[in-house]
Amino acid sequence: MSVLALKHPVRLALLLVPLLGLLIPAPPSQAAGRPTIGLALSGGGARGAAHVGVLRVIERMGIPVDYVAGTSMGAVVGGLYAMGMSPDEIEATIEEIDWTAIFQDEPPRQDRRIQRKLDDNDFLFSARPGVNEEKREVNLVPALIQGHRLDLALRRYTLPARSIHDFDDLKIPFRAVATDAVTGDAVILGSGDLATSIRASMAVPAAFAPVEIGDKLLIDGGLAMNLPVSVAREMGADIIIAVDVGGPRRDREEINDVLEMLDQVMGLVTWRNTQEQIAKLRGRDVLITPPLGRIVTAADFNKMLEAIAIGERGAQEQEVALAVLEVPEARYAAYLQRQRLRSEPMPIIDRVRVENRSRLADAVITERLDVPLGEPLNPDALEAQIDRVFDQDNFQSVQYRVEKTPDDETELVITATEKSWGTSSLQFGIELSSASGGDSQFNVGAAYTMAPVNALNAEWRTFLQAGEEPGLTSEFYQPLDPLERWYVEATAGYFTESLTLFEPETSDNPTAKYLISRVGGSLEGGRNFGDWGRLGLKYRRYSGDADLRYGEPGMQGYGFDEGALDLTFYLDTLDSANFPRRGWVGTAFALTSRTEIGASEDYDQAGFSIVNAQSWGKNTLLTGIRMAGSFGGQEPAQSFYRLGGFLNLSGFNQDELSGGNLGLARAVYMRNLTSGLVSTYAGASLEAGNVWDQRSDIGFDDLRFGSSLFLGADTFIGPIYLGYGYADGGFGALYLMLGRPWSTRGND
């Protein structure tokens, strides 16, 4: 330091003051020589897309925005705009996002683990309360949607702002509004992680999981301040442009069920606090209310482009009031140049760090990640890898962030957080099938799955079933490596199944009914092929009884033993187990039963089943073929193949036809009628097939033909079908079914 500075500090300070004034940016009002303008964007779900249309008009008129405050969907649009995106870029982002997928936590079904796909062969509901064994608690999930895929989308589109932690340093200063779940107060988020702040602002209670930031548990900001006028004012705005896209309140005639009542209650809460904020507007402020009416509701994410157009019209209606805020064209061009987000390459990743907040081994996570070092980040590839981690079914969130390390390297940090409500689970289910011919079946089930049993994510499931086919089973599934390529599975328990025999010429006349029961277990080992297939070799050993429930004179029950080796290949790429639109599902098997390994009879069986789904528009065509036969020895009655029932020779009762050999071909057409909370379908089918005692009897001349017309609904308890089937010979049947006709359970 110079002698002058030491002797005359006051003089030096006076000399530096004007220089510092040049270096420190002036407040917007001084820098621009005009009133500062703040944008307050309300929440409103899909209606919030109207904000984009408003922004388009504001830019077309040449109105600079100095501050942005947003709530819920307003925080999404406002955050992206403050980051530097143009209205056209935000609209393109809205178009790019798959809004159906984003409101689901699980990866698309075709990308799920094969072990999870096999669960669909059961009739259990997808809803699963969590079990925490350590605390001896059964807990409901904190929300219907944990927000896994929503977080990934927000993270992707806010990547350009990854190094900004003070939202005043964005292209436009920004605030997101959330609600403290404990106090109910508004929480103004002006720093931290931009994606997390936006996510917290739109955490609709019960729909989306709350977000923890610091010591606060945050939910949707609409509960406290849906239209953040006062926030924009406190940021320094002289004039507020407030955009209210809140939904209309329902009339008395429109409140008819619990969902409509909940929507009304939420609407009343946000409406009241919105009115409080509107009352704070002053003379020069502008209120824009796009005329969305009931054209676009909060849940109409498929109408967001329509909402953008309506938002544009709403802003145009206020052009007179907005016109006084315009600035000269040259000045606005300079403003836009500063505000726009400059195209930047993706960050080059130097290293990857995993924060594993679970009981799984680090390798279960790290071996599912493949991020090339020294190359630009690929969000598509990274999200697919994160989905594979999330699909381990132990995590409430798997998030990533990009950070600069002290040694100036770019680090990708993956944080996997275990489910707070319990990684084990309970499931319940109902299975129902009924035909007018007199055959019906009803079962209820419950399953308790303990997971993870160890660091490789082993599972232990116990299943209890009551009804027509009672049973109690327990199975233990153990991956043998972190990527779950190899596995072993052990099963033990008591199984039952009904076997109804019919008079061949009178379909509605059951002649006998057996309850087949088995006690024993199996041991299987095999290889998983990614997310699409499995090859397994199983040894099974059971002692069984065929208990005659009723039958003709002279018929009686009998006992038997089963000892067999079974090689099975399973394929599944269906996008839905209930009403598939695309993909394949199939099995191929070869079984040998031998007295040397515990069986009562020596015989060999083999066969395959394959179904393909293809769609165009709302239409789907499913085609399939199933063939199976016996290739030595004499198989007992309980091992016969069975055919008949809905979509399996419609017109006949379920499993009405039985024999040592089987063939079936079918084509099923479905039309999606409505989508939403419950999707509905109408369809028709054509089927041809039969069973034969001997392979030498097989021929086209004795094929049986069936057809059906049906209605279906995809409900929270599973797919429901109501249909009528007609088969050659004049056989007809009405069907009511709760279950999956595409299930491979018991097909062969």
Side-chain angles (χ1 to χ4, degrees):
M1 184 174 290
S2 70
V3 176
L4 176 64
L6 292 171
K7 289 185 177 180
H8 304 284
V10 175
R11 182 183 298 177
L12 180 62
L14 292 172
L15 290 171
L16 289 175
V17 165
L19 294 175
L20 290 173
L22 295 174
L23 296 173
I24 299 174
S29 58
Q30 297 177 17
R34 58 172 175 76
T36 55
I37 299 171
L39 200 58
L41 306 179
S42 82
R47 297 163 65 92
H51 294 313
V52 181
V54 173
L55 289 173
R56 186 167 283 148
V57 173
I58 287 174
E59 289 205 348
R60 191 162 58 234
M61 295 182 68
I63 300 171
V65 174
D66 303 295
Y67 305 101
V68 180
T71 298
S72 198
M73 197 65 183
V76 176
V77 176
L80 296 178
Y81 189 66
M83 196 179 70
M85 276 193 181
S86 70
D88 287 347
E89 289 171 329
I90 299 174
E91 180 177 8
T93 297
I94 288 173
E95 282 191 273
E96 183 177 290
I97 292 174
D98 184 343
W99 292 96
T100 300
I102 210 169
F103 294 129
Q104 300 172 353
D105 289 316
E106 296 176 347
R109 186 184 182 277
Q110 59 267 29
D111 298 331
R112 300 212 67 193
R113 298 163 58 202
I114 203 70
Q115 181 70 6
R116 293 285 73 85
K117 291 177 180 178
L118 285 165
D119 290 345
D120 291 333
N121 290 335
D122 295 321
F123 55 84
L124 299 172
F125 306 155
S126 58
R128 295 180 297 165
V131 178
N132 188 320
E133 288 89 1
E134 185 177 341
K135 296 182 179 180
R136 297 182 179 180
E137 294 177 343
V138 177
N139 303 303
L140 296 177
V141 296
L144 297 175
I145 305 166
Q146 299 311 307
H148 165 68
R149 305 190 69 79
L150 175 61
D151 181 81
L152 288 178
L154 292 173
R155 189 87 32 200
R156 170 193 286 250
Y157 294 112
T158 59
L159 265 177
R162 61 188 177 275
S163 60
I164 297 175
H165 301 291
D166 184 342
F167 298 164
D168 284 342
D169 294 335
L170 293 168
K171 298 289 185 178
I172 303 174
F174 170 70
R175 299 291 184 271
V177 180
T179 300
D180 189 321
V182 176
T183 66
D185 295 334
V187 177
I188 314 305
L189 301 170
S191 62
D193 179 76
L194 182 60
T196 303
S197 298
I198 294 173
R199 167 72 179 82
S201 182
M202 59 187 304
V204 178
F208 283 105
V211 176
E212 289 189 48
I213 297 181
D215 60 350
K216 296 184 183 298
L217 188 65
L218 302 180
I219 54 178
D220 192 284
L223 295 172
M225 189 187 298
N226 197 47
L227 182 63
V229 171
S230 58
V231 176
R233 188 87 67 195
E234 290 167 6
M235 292 176 73
D238 299 317
I239 298 175
I240 304 293
I241 300 175
V243 187
D244 177 20
V245 297
R249 289 167 291 169
R250 293 177 179 269
D251 296 330
R252 170 63 185 86
E253 299 77 28
E254 297 175 299
I255 307 174
N256 299 308
D257 59 40
V258 63
L259 295 177
E260 291 173 349
M261 178 59 76
L262 289 172
D263 179 64
Q264 176 75 346
V265 170
M266 187 72 171
L268 288 172
V269 172
T270 58
W271 180 82
R272 290 190 183 281
N273 68 54
T274 296
Q275 297 309 303
E276 293 172 1
Q277 289 293 306
I278 289 175
K280 296 182 179 182
L281 293 173
R282 301 171 185 169
R284 294 190 296 172
D285 297 335
V286 181
L287 175 63
I288 299 173
T289 307
L292 294 156
R294 303 192 188 282
I295 301 171
V296 181
T297 70
D300 286 336
F301 288 91
N302 60 330
K303 295 183 178 180
M304 295 181 79
L305 297 183
E306 190 173 351
I308 292 174
I310 295 174
E312 194 166 349
R313 293 202 302 270
Q316 289 169 345
E317 292 172 0
Q318 295 293 328
E319 282 186 345
V320 174
L322 291 170
V324 299
L325 305 179
E326 296 177 9
V327 298
E329 185 175 342
R331 179 180 293 184
Y332 189 71
Y335 161 83
L336 271 188
Q337 187 174 10
R338 294 192 302 271
Q339 187 267 340
R340 281 292 182 261
L341 183 66
R342 292 176 176 82
S343 179
E344 295 182 3
M346 283 291 171
I348 305 296
I349 302 302
D350 297 311
R351 62 193 191 198
V352 178
R353 176 165 57 91
V354 171
E355 295 177 345
N356 180 10
R357 301 172 182 174
S358 76
R359 289 168 286 169
L360 296 184
D362 289 348
V364 172
I365 299 173
T366 58
E367 292 197 21
R368 285 173 170 80
L369 301 173
D370 183 18
V371 181
L373 301 183
E375 296 183 16
L377 178 67
N378 183 337
D380 289 331
L382 178 61
E383 289 175 13
Q385 294 163 26
I386 286 177
D387 273 348
R388 287 198 287 271
V389 175
F390 188 82
D391 196 34
Q392 292 303 294
D393 213 19
N394 283 266
F395 304 109
Q396 67 182 41
S397 68
V398 183
Q399 301 174 331
Y400 75 90
R401 62 184 186 274
V402 178
E403 297 181 340
K404 277 291 185 182
T405 64
D407 54 358
D408 202 35
E409 287 195 326
T410 301
E411 183 177 57
L412 176 66
V413 183
I414 310 290
T415 303
T417 304
E418 192 171 86
K419 294 176 180 177
S420 58
W421 58 93
T423 53
S424 299
S425 63
L426 290 174
Q427 279 182 281
F428 303 91
I430 300 173
E431 180 182 48
L432 168 68
S433 64
S434 179
S436 57
D439 184 36
S440 63
Q441 185 170 291
F442 177 76
N443 294 300
V444 295
Y448 164 53
T449 304
M450 181 186 296
V453 177
N454 53 42
L456 286 180
N457 203 17
E459 300 175 352
W460 185 8
R461 170 178 287 193
T462 300
F463 183 80
L464 174 65
Q465 181 169 302
E468 295 280 332
E469 300 174 334
L472 176 64
T473 62
S474 191
E475 59 186 42
F476 183 81
Y477 174 77
Q478 176 66 65
L480 298 179
D481 60 276
L483 281 178
E484 200 178 348
R485 287 170 293 205
W486 299 92
Y487 72 94
V488 293
E489 184 173 48
T491 303
Y494 168 71
F495 308 78
T496 63
E497 60 177 322
S498 296
L499 174 60
T500 305
L501 304 180
F502 291 82
E503 180 64 37
E505 302 303 324
T506 53
S507 176
D508 59 350
N509 183 26
T511 58
K513 186 169 186 176
Y514 289 92
L515 181 68
I516 309 296
S517 60
R518 296 175 173 87
V519 178
S522 65
L523 180 64
E524 178 179 341
R527 176 74 154 85
N528 291 318
F529 299 97
D531 52 26
W532 59 269
R534 168 179 288 183
L535 179 65
L537 178 63
K538 177 189 295 185
Y539 168 67
R540 57 190 191 188
R541 177 71 174 90
Y542 297 101
S543 294
D545 286 292
D547 180 26
L548 181 67
R549 295 301 177 91
Y550 63 82
E552 297 178 347
M555 300 183 72
Q556 60 183 5
Y558 60 92
F560 60 89
D561 290 308
E562 291 184 347
L565 287 173
D566 185 355
L567 181 67
T568 301
F569 178 74
Y570 177 74
L571 164 74
D572 191 341
T573 64
L574 290 183
D575 61 346
S576 169
N578 295 351
F579 292 90
R581 288 183 52 78
R582 58 186 57 85
W584 297 82
V585 64
T587 58
F589 77 97
L591 176 148
T592 181
S593 170
R594 289 292 179 268
T595 55
E596 292 86 352
I597 53 177
S600 301
E601 306 284 347
D602 289 342
Y603 62 93
D604 300 310
Q605 294 180 315
F608 72 91
S609 172
I610 189 75
V611 174
N612 174 248
Q614 297 289 338
S615 295
W616 65 101
K618 294 187 175 183
N619 308 288
T620 300
L621 179 65
L622 297 109
T623 53
I625 186 168
R626 179 183 169 204
M627 299 185 69
S630 298
F631 298 91
Q634 180 58 54
E635 69 281 352
Q638 72 272 6
S639 298
F640 281 171
Y641 304 112
R642 302 175 198 174
L643 194 59
F646 181 57
L647 302 184
N648 287 283
L649 277 190
S650 302
F652 292 97
N653 283 291
Q654 182 172 327
D655 299 335
E656 179 175 340
L657 308 176
S658 61
N661 301 274
L662 174 148
L664 174 69
R666 58 182 173 175
V668 183
Y669 167 79
M670 295 190 301
R671 168 81 177 180
N672 181 215
L673 300 178
T674 62
S675 298
L677 188 62
V678 176
S679 297
T680 58
Y681 301 82
S685 71
L686 292 173
E687 306 125 55
N690 206 347
V691 295
W692 299 269
D693 289 333
Q694 304 295 327
R695 278 185 294 155
S696 58
D697 299 331
I698 299 174
F700 290 104
D701 54 344
D702 56 356
L703 285 178
R704 310 300 300 269
F705 296 91
S707 60
S708 72
L709 296 173
F710 62 87
L711 294 173
D714 198 358
T715 74
F716 74 96
I717 61 172
I720 298 176
Y721 295 87
L722 176 63
Y724 175 76
Y726 181 81
D728 64 89
F731 298 132
L734 288 170
Y735 297 105
L736 175 63
M737 179 179 180
L738 171 60
R740 300 182 177 99
W742 322 114
S743 168
T744 60
R745 185 167 64 106
N747 267 2
D748 298 310

